[in-house]
Amino acid sequence: MDEDMLRCVTEQGFAARTLPLPLYVRAHAEVLAPAADAGERLDLRAADIPLLDVAVAADRRGALRQLVERAAVLRILRSGRDSLRDPRFSGGDARDGSPPAVGAGDSHDEAVARAIYQELACRRAESGIEKGTLITGRDQADGPEGVALRGVDGRIDCYLLGETAGVPAVGAVLRLDRLERPLCAVVCDLWERRGVERAVQAVLREFVVTTLPRREDADRAPFPYGDFHDVVAVGETDFATLTPRPTRDETGELRDRLRLHGHRASVRVLGPADRTALVACRLEPTAKSEPSAESGPSAESEPVKRPTTDTYDDWRPRDVAALGLRAPRQLSLTYERDDVRIGRIYHENSKMRTAYGTLPVVDIAEMSPPARRLLGQAYRDFGHARRQYPMRPAGEPRLLTLDQVVRRRRSWAAMGDGELTRAELAHLLTLSYGTTGAAVAGQDLRLPLRATPSAGGLYSSDLFVLVDRVTGVEPGLYYFHPGKRLLQLVDDERTLADVAEYTGYRERAGEAAAMVVYVGAFRRNQWKYRERGYRTVLLDCGHLAQSVVTTATSLGLVAHPMIAFVDDYFNAYVGVDGVEDAVLYLTLLGPRRTGDEAA
C-alpha cells in the first residue's frame, strides 16, 4: 500500500510531497521535504519548501519507495551513530566516505536486492563507462511501460554496459536539443528489461532535478550516476531479447553471482519487517576459493537504534544545500486531500469506460412516440403566471463584431445606473438560448435546436431572470420559455437588493439591472448519461453562460458571471429542491457606464 511507504518516510523524520510534472513526462514524482512541511496546507505567502531529494518512478508507490531509501541515507549521514563507523560497513572494499546502500521493499529479500543493485550501480558508474551495446526495438510511444517522454524534440537511448559482479548494468542517456548536455543514469538489475525501465526512470529523475528552481547560492550537485553520454555503441541488441522478469528466487540468484565473483553482502535492518522492509547493505570481498553457502545477501540482522526527532534539529540548512533546490511555487497553492476527496470520487465514478454497460444504449428510433416527444420538451412552463412578456424583438440588433466582443469583454467593467431596454433583454435571451431551428428524429418527430450546444440535445439548463431595471418589464423573477420566447413571472416578492445579500459580492450585485439565474435539471439527461450526467449538466450550463456573456457584450452590455452565492437560498427562491434541480450559476447584467470604452 502507498500508505505503508508514506508512513516509512514520516517515521524517519521526513515528509513526502507530490511534485506535479509537465504533461510530456510520463512518470510520477515525489519530493523529500523536512517534517515541518508534511501537511499540504495552503500557504498564501508561497514560502520556500526545502527539497532534500527527488524521486521519479512509474507510479506513486515506486516514487515513495525511493524516498524511503533516500530518507534512510540522510538519516544515516545525520545520525551520531551512523553506520559509516560500524566495522561491518567499513571494510576495505567499501567506497570511502559514502554511506551504505539502502533498499526498501515489501519483503526483506526485496529490500536486500534493491540495496545490492544500488551498490553495484554506483561501482559501475565510478569505474568509468566508454562503450555499450545499444538497445533497439523499444519504442517510447509503444505501451505504458515504454512511454517516458512524448512530443519532445529528443530521445532516450538505453545501453547494456556489461556486468558488475555478474549483474547486468543498463544505462540511459537523455538527449534533448534544449539541454546544455545529455543526462545519464545507470542501474544494475538481474532482469535486463526491468533494468531498462529503471534506468529510464532514473534519467527522468535527473531531468526533473534540472528543471526545478535552485537557490542562488547553490552549486550544481554532481550527478551520482556518472557522466557517460559519449558512450560508444559497439553493437545492438533488441529489447525483446533481454532477460525478462525473474522466474526464480531473485535473492538466491544474486547470492550465487556475488559468491562466484568474490563478494558477499553485509546487511543491517533499518526498518520494521512487519510493514515496509528497510535495510542497509555493504558488499565485502571474500576469497573465491572459500565460497560459503551462507554468503551473499545475509539474513542476519542487527537493528539500528533510531535517533530521536531532536537529532534532526540542525540538519535543515545542510540538507537544503545538498541539492540546492527550491520547490515550485505551485506546491504552496495546495490543499489537504480530504478537502477534495468527494470530488475525486465523483470524477472517478463519472468516467466513461470501454467496458459494456457504461452507458445505456439509446436508439431514438426504437423509442415510443410519447417518449420521443419528451426529448423536445426540455423546458418548464409557467403558463398561468399573472404576468408574461413576449421576447420577440422587432428588427435586427446592432451587434459588435466578434473581434470587438472578445477584446471588450470584462467581468468587472463599470456598470451604469441606467436601465436595460426590453429589446436588449429580448435579443440577449433569444440569441443565447432561443430556438433557432429543428432537427428530424425519426419519421414523426422534429426536435427544436437552440443557439447553445447541449449534450445529446437534451438542454439540461433553464434560464431565470431576476429583473430590477428593465424598461417595459416590472421587477420580479421570471422564467424564460425558449420555445414560446416568453418571460413568465415566477416571484415578485423579493428585489435584487434582497437577493444580493446572499451573494459573495453584495455591492457588485446591487449595481446590476438584472440577474440571470441558471438552473440545472439533472433528470433531463441523467436517465441517459447516469453518473456522467452531472458532468454534462455542468458543461451545458457553462456553454449557456458563455453564450449569455458573449451576446451581452455584443449588445454593448456588461455581463459578470458569478459563482459565489448561497445555494440553499437561491434554490428555495427559484422553487427547486437542490437535488433533482439546482441553481448552478449567476450572471449579473447591466448597461455599460457611459464613456467607459476601455477593456
Side-chain angles (χ1 to χ4, degrees), residues 55-75:
V56 176
D59 52 30
R60 184 170 185 252
R61 180 171 178 76
L64 287 174
R65 185 201 306 268
Q66 294 177 29
L67 288 193
V68 170
E69 296 166 347
R70 289 161 190 173
V73 171
L74 281 178
R75 184 161 64 94

Side-chain angles (χ1 to χ4, degrees), residues 134-392:
L134 180 65
I135 298 172
T136 62
R138 180 183 175 276
D139 188 349
Q140 288 190 161
D142 183 20
E145 291 188 354
V147 173
L149 298 172
R150 64 173 183 177
V152 298
D153 193 9
R155 69 184 191 277
I156 297 178
D157 293 323
C158 294
Y159 300 86
L160 288 179
L161 304 174
E163 295 184 346
T164 300
V167 178
V170 178
V173 180
L174 170 60
R175 297 179 175 91
L176 293 175
D177 290 350
R178 292 180 177 84
L179 284 179
E180 294 182 1
R181 64 178 181 86
L183 304 176
C184 313
V186 60
V187 303
C188 287
D189 202 301
L190 280 176
W191 321 107
E192 296 161 335
R193 292 190 199 175
R194 184 176 63 186
V196 169
E197 303 306 328
R198 290 180 53 218
V200 169
Q201 293 164 12
V203 82
L204 285 179
R205 181 260 182 193
E206 174 65 359
F207 173 68
V208 170
V209 168
T210 65
T211 64
L212 292 173
R214 292 187 174 278
R215 291 162 47 95
E216 295 180 358
D217 58 345
D219 296 327
R220 177 71 170 86
F223 187 40
Y225 297 104
D227 189 1
F228 57 91
H229 60 267
D230 291 328
V231 59
V232 176
V234 296
E236 295 183 358
T237 185
D238 193 284
F239 178 76
T241 66
L242 301 181
T243 311
R245 287 188 175 274
T247 56
R248 55 160 293 180
D249 175 48
E250 188 170 1
T251 53
E253 180 74 13
L254 270 175
R255 180 187 300 115
D256 294 343
R257 296 200 186 191
L258 290 176
R259 183 173 62 247
L260 289 174
H261 289 79
H263 293 84
R264 70 182 302 274
S266 292
V267 177
R268 167 177 282 187
V269 173
L270 302 178
D274 58 333
R275 293 198 303 270
T276 300
L278 182 63
V279 303
C281 175
R282 280 289 201 202
L283 294 186
E284 300 176 351
T286 182
K288 287 187 178 182
S289 58
E290 299 178 1
S292 170
E294 298 300 321
S295 63
S298 173
E300 57 183 337
S301 303
E302 180 182 344
V304 173
K305 184 177 180 181
R306 298 187 184 185
T308 64
T309 304
D310 296 338
T311 309
Y312 299 110
D313 287 345
D314 61 348
W315 58 246
R316 183 184 298 239
R318 286 179 291 167
D319 284 346
V320 174
L323 286 178
L325 300 179
R326 292 187 294 107
R329 295 303 182 200
Q330 60 196 4
L331 285 189
S332 293
L333 301 178
T334 186
Y335 44 78
E336 295 287 353
R337 291 179 180 270
D338 284 345
D339 293 341
V340 295
R341 186 178 301 277
I342 298 299
R344 291 184 175 183
I345 291 173
Y346 156 70
H347 189 77
E348 182 63 27
N349 283 279
S350 66
K351 290 179 179 177
M352 292 187 69
R353 313 288 183 181
T354 55
Y356 172 79
T358 299
L359 294 176
V361 178
V362 177
D363 186 347
I364 294 179
E366 294 182 358
M367 297 173 67
S368 67
R372 278 185 284 154
R373 282 194 290 273
L374 284 175
L375 301 181
Q377 297 173 2
Y379 50 76
R380 305 171 193 270
D381 195 343
F382 295 81
H384 298 287
R386 66 175 181 271
R387 288 202 300 267
Q388 300 190 55
Y389 295 94
M391 291 285 108
R392 297 177 180 271

Side-chain angles (χ1 to χ4, degrees), residues 120-141:
L120 293 176
C122 288
R123 294 181 180 219
R124 184 68 188 94
E126 292 170 355
S127 67
I129 298 171
E130 298 179 352
K131 59 184 179 179
T133 302
L134 180 65
I135 298 172
T136 62
R138 180 183 175 276
D139 188 349
Q140 288 190 161

Side-chain angles (χ1 to χ4, degrees), residues 549-566:
V549 168
T550 302
T551 304
T553 306
S554 71
L555 290 165
L557 308 177
V558 176
H560 185 160
M562 189 163 58
I563 198 171
F565 59 88
V566 179

Side-chain angles (χ1 to χ4, degrees), residues 388-409:
Q388 300 190 55
Y389 295 94
M391 291 285 108
R392 297 177 180 271
E396 296 294 328
R398 296 183 60 185
L399 303 176
L400 300 177
T401 65
L402 179 60
D403 179 81
Q404 292 172 315
V405 169
V406 172
R407 295 178 184 276
R408 196 178 190 190
R409 191 220 66 79

